[in-house]
Amino acid sequence: MISSHTADHLFLKTLKDMLGDSVLLGEEIPTSCFSDWTGHAPCRPLALVRSATTEEVASLLRLCNEHRRPVVPQGGMTGLAGAAVPSTDSIAISLGRLTGVESVDGDAATLTVRAGTTLQTVQDAAEEAGFRYPVDFGARGTCQIGGNIATNAGGHGVIRHGMTRDQVLGLEVVLADGRILDLMNGMIKNNTGYDLKHCFIGAEGTLGIITRAVLRLAPPKGETHTFLCGLPNYPAAVALLHRLRGAGLALEAFEVMWQDFYTMSCGWRDGQPPLHTSHPIYLLCEAEGAASHLEAALESALASGEVEDAVLAGSTTQARELWAIREATGEFPLKLAPINFDISLPVATIGAFVEDASKMLTQRWPDIRIVNFGHIGDCNLHLTVDGQSLAEDTAETRHAIEAEVYRLVGDYSGSISAEHGIGLLKRDFLHHSVHPEALDVMRSLKHTLDPNGILNPGKLFG
Ligand code: ZN
């Protein structure tokens, strides 16, 4: 019998012989590949392969499939669910050398790109050609478009333009057995049976590895306005959402902050908060359209009591200052010991959910500190628990808090993941949001496309 150590050694030799310098072993593997932004326990993979072409990805997968070796696809390692974290026996495959915008088609308003290209590069190329790639979030300079697609990334522009899924027209994917699937469609209308690209978008690298994509581009932004409002309650936020849309404004962001979030964030900043009086709910909104339409809508909202106070940014500097309050989330890892929730709920029920979750958690953990904000136009709530407020911030307590919150999400018919994905972080809770029949179909699909289970094992499913 051959020992697993010897088997590893033989396999790595074959890998080196076949792929040469693109294979890194042992100490050569950079620690940046060991974990992602979730801060999951870092882990060194058996090897890191930096493929520069689709064909190299294909030959690597063919070999790993023959030898039943687990493969973990990696992009910019900015994921928030642990989907790219390797295991000690895995071959990590980095797409970081498969980069570049191949072309921009101005007539079709599309862009063709390789998977390892950063989101920032895609946005810049779109802008240079007189367009806009509207998906945006903080990790833009580091995250890669392949990872964005594999995790169906969201962000605050989703309210107008949809998730990453909605921008993808075509894909090139390498299957577990090394076959290259050419789905590089560039047309908006294409009704030819199963739209296979959707199987790979949001699949977190469990069904195939995305190597190229055709993306839709949006026209550049028109005249936009940024404003902050104080509201009397949550239903007023939903009413205002309807009012602004009804006024013919295109909403680019609709970010609702509960008082707990707003007060904490303003406390972290110098100077007076932009709204001087206290309100139960705050809204940061970015809207495109005529200033007169916005002013009329805000005036009637103030008259009806839906809005108690409002401040409109008069310059980009002022707009940035308003955004800084909402972007306090970027400081959470430094200033709190955050337990982050990224959940979706029917929009009208989010206010009640926040109250129920707070009541339920406070009953069991009396001193617990909770802060809430959400992209509520997308039904997305980010509830955060500060681990520092717990008597004992242990893995067990965190798991218990997660179990309570996700059970409540299930009761509300919500989703345990709005925009971050499942990865390792939420796989134990998937059943709260996905019905058993749907889970069965997901497992059948996995078995059909990856019968040996080599692609990102342990992710998504428990
Ligand atoms: Zn978000």
Side-chain angles (χ1 to χ4, degrees):
M1 194 172 151
I2 183 166
S3 76
S4 74
H5 184 77
T6 316
D8 283 355
H9 190 75
L10 286 173
F11 177 76
L12 293 176
K13 190 175 175 315
T14 315
L15 200 63
K16 267 279 194 200
D17 288 347
M18 200 169 93
L19 299 166
D21 285 349
S22 41
V23 181
L24 298 184
L25 303 173
E27 298 291 318
E28 299 168 338
I29 304 172
T31 54
S32 55
C33 297
F34 293 4
S35 193
D36 64 6
W37 282 10
T38 50
H40 243 277
C43 179
R44 186 201 305 272
L46 197 58
L48 173 75
V49 182
R50 298 166 303 154
S51 304
T53 64
T54 300
E55 288 66 33
E56 282 179 22
V57 176
S59 44
L60 172 65
L61 287 193
R62 210 171 300 121
L63 182 74
C64 289
N65 196 42
E66 276 164 18
H67 292 261
R68 308 289 191 266
R69 286 283 168 180
V71 173
V72 179
Q74 297 189 332
M77 303 306 282
T78 61
L80 295 169
V85 176
S87 53
T88 49
D89 62 341
S90 67
I91 309 302
I93 169 162
S94 162
L95 280 298
R97 282 171 68 190
L98 185 58
T99 58
V101 172
E102 292 181 358
S103 61
V104 179
D105 182 336
D107 295 335
T110 61
L111 178 150
T112 302
V113 64
R114 300 189 188 114
T117 312
T118 65
L119 172 60
Q120 177 87 64
T121 304
V122 171
Q123 289 173 341
D124 291 349
E127 207 171 309
E128 222 167 275
F131 294 94
R132 179 159 68 114
Y133 181 69
V135 173
D136 189 33
F137 41 85
R140 65 183 76 79
T142 313
C143 69
Q144 297 172 8
I145 199 74
N148 290 183
I149 297 169
T151 58
N152 187 26
H156 53 68
V158 173
I159 187 169
R160 182 166 182 194
H161 304 278
M163 303 277 282
T164 297
R165 181 186 301 282
D166 301 292
Q167 324 306 323
V168 178
L169 289 175
L171 281 185
E172 179 185 80
V173 181
V174 181
L175 298 177
D177 59 10
R179 277 179 297 165
I180 298 169
L181 204 55
D182 181 349
L183 309 168
M184 290 291 277
N185 164 68
M187 299 169 292
I188 291 176
K189 287 191 174 177
N190 181 3
N191 244 351
T192 48
Y194 305 153
D195 197 344
L196 294 177
K197 66 172 181 282
H198 286 299
C199 296
F200 303 97
I201 304 171
E204 303 181 16
T206 61
L207 298 180
I209 297 184
I210 295 162
T211 45
R212 292 164 71 225
V214 183
L215 304 172
R216 285 177 86 155
L217 300 177
K221 253 190 216 179
E223 185 188 354
T224 59
H225 315 277
T226 304
F227 54 97
L228 179 76
C229 304
L231 311 178
N233 49 44
Y234 180 78
V238 181
L240 187 58
L241 180 65
H242 289 304
R243 185 188 292 277
L244 294 171
R245 280 177 165 156
L249 295 156
L251 302 180
E252 284 282 337
F254 196 85
E255 311 276 291
V256 167
M257 297 170 274
W258 274 254
Q259 196 176 48
D260 44 40
F261 183 102
Y262 181 84
T263 312
M264 182 183 71
S265 175
C266 288
W268 289 350
R269 256 143 279 284
D270 298 330
Q272 284 288 317
L275 292 176
H276 302 303
T277 48
S278 170
H279 306 272
I281 299 281
Y282 295 83
L283 162 73
L284 176 70
C285 185
E286 198 178 297
E288 186 188 301
S292 57
H293 290 183
L294 175 63
E295 278 156 23
L298 281 180
E299 262 167 39
S300 54
L302 278 159
S304 72
E306 209 168 274
V307 169
E308 293 180 328
D309 199 0
V311 54
L312 188 65
S315 65
T316 45
T317 312
Q318 278 176 15
R320 230 175 291 133
E321 281 166 15
L322 295 181
W323 267 105
I325 300 171
R326 146 67 186 86
E327 282 171 350
T329 42
E331 299 162 62
F332 280 11
L334 300 171
K335 293 183 169 152
L336 309 175
I339 308 169
N340 292 314
F341 291 92
D342 160 48
I343 52 189
S344 267
L345 298 150
V347 64
T349 68
I350 295 178
F353 178 90
V354 167
E355 282 174 30
D356 279 356
S358 167
K359 233 178 275 165
M360 174 194 75
L361 293 173
T362 309
Q363 218 161 43
R364 194 162 158 194
W365 294 278
D367 297 321
I368 197 165
R369 180 185 199 196
I370 308 161
V371 287
N372 293 282
F373 95 91
H375 321 282
I376 71 129
D378 317 327
C379 306
N380 185 185
L381 175 72
H382 290 297
L383 177 155
T384 303
V385 170
D386 181 8
Q388 293 165 354
S389 65
L390 302 167
E392 281 175 43
D393 184 7
T394 59
E396 289 72 29
T397 312
R398 284 178 171 242
H399 194 82
I401 291 171
E402 285 169 355
E404 292 280 13
V405 172
Y406 292 135
R407 189 187 45 72
L408 191 64
V409 170
D411 292 348
Y412 270 75
S413 304
S415 169
I416 62 157
S417 174
E419 58 181 355
H420 297 170
I422 302 298
L424 288 169
L425 204 65
K426 297 185 179 178
R427 58 180 193 182
D428 297 347
F429 304 108
L430 195 55
H431 63 280
H432 287 300
S433 293
V434 184
H435 293 293
E437 297 78 8
L439 266 175
D440 272 354
V441 175
M442 281 165 75
R443 285 183 197 282
S444 310
L445 192 60
K446 170 72 177 167
H447 188 73
T448 301
L449 290 174
D450 181 20
N452 298 321
I454 64 156
L455 285 172
N456 223 2
K459 312 293 168 55
L460 197 52
F461 302 112

